[in-house]
Amino acid sequence: MKNEQEMYNELVYYTLSLGDEEFIHQHIVDAFGAQIANKNTKPIGICFALAGLYLHLEKNYTGRQVQLAHMQMAKRRKNWPALEIPDFRGNITIADVLNTKPGEERKEMIHKWCISAWRAYQESHDIVAALINIVLYG
């Protein structure tokens, strides 16, 4: 049985090989980052993962747009708040994504995975939204 890192590597290969204009690869990076975060994860990692999920799900950003937003965020701010990491990180995992048929079905499952991971961080939604407004739009 594959461990999480091996599954992630397989999914990375899959999403990067698509060459899609939307760049769904960014969404798997953010969903995975949110789900595997722990007390040793740097605040920037959690903030970027949640910012990516927020921009995708709440602002309808494509993966490419999220990637560009991450670059702007990195240029504009160096200190990131430590967000609370919930015990439960969502009911959809990377294994569920990989067990879904490649193509449109897997793309839809990636979207559902993002929703699941984002919902798990419900307590941080307002903080992430405010942070995005300050860093990107402020």
Side-chain angles (χ1 to χ4, degrees):
M1 184 165 186
K2 295 178 185 175
N3 66 33
E4 281 186 325
Q5 187 61 52
E6 291 168 328
M7 288 187 283
Y8 179 70
N9 293 344
E10 182 178 335
L11 192 56
V12 163
Y13 177 77
Y14 170 78
T15 56
L16 287 176
S17 72
L18 293 173
D20 60 320
E21 192 173 312
E22 181 184 339
F23 196 59
I24 65 169
H25 171 73
Q26 185 63 55
H27 304 320
I28 71 143
V29 170
D30 294 331
F32 188 72
Q35 281 195 329
I36 66 157
N38 61 44
K39 64 181 179 168
N40 298 318
T41 304
K42 293 180 181 180
I44 189 172
I46 298 168
C47 286
F48 272 48
L50 295 181
L53 294 173
Y54 168 80
L55 291 169
H56 172 52
L57 298 168
E58 306 293 337
K59 300 295 183 182
N60 298 312
Y61 275 41
T62 65
R64 184 70 64 208
Q65 290 170 315
V66 170
Q67 183 185 45
L68 295 172
H70 282 163
M71 288 189 273
Q72 288 180 326
M73 291 168 62
K75 287 179 188 175
R76 295 180 181 173
R77 187 178 184 123
K78 300 301 174 202
N79 297 314
W80 300 93
L83 301 174
E84 186 172 330
I85 301 171
D87 291 331
F88 177 72
R89 311 290 174 75
N91 57 355
I92 296 175
T93 67
I94 193 166
D96 298 315
V97 174
L98 285 173
N99 288 327
T100 303
K101 181 180 173 186
E104 286 302 314
E105 288 179 37
R106 185 171 285 176
K107 182 179 177 181
E108 180 59 29
M109 183 57 84
I110 289 169
H111 181 71
K112 289 178 182 177
W113 183 29
C114 290
I115 292 169
S116 177
W118 176 238
R119 285 182 179 160
Y121 281 85
Q122 181 71 35
E123 297 299 317
S124 297
H125 285 189
D126 291 343
I127 296 167
V128 173
L131 188 61
I132 291 297
N133 284 330
I134 292 166
V135 177
L136 291 183
Y137 311 123

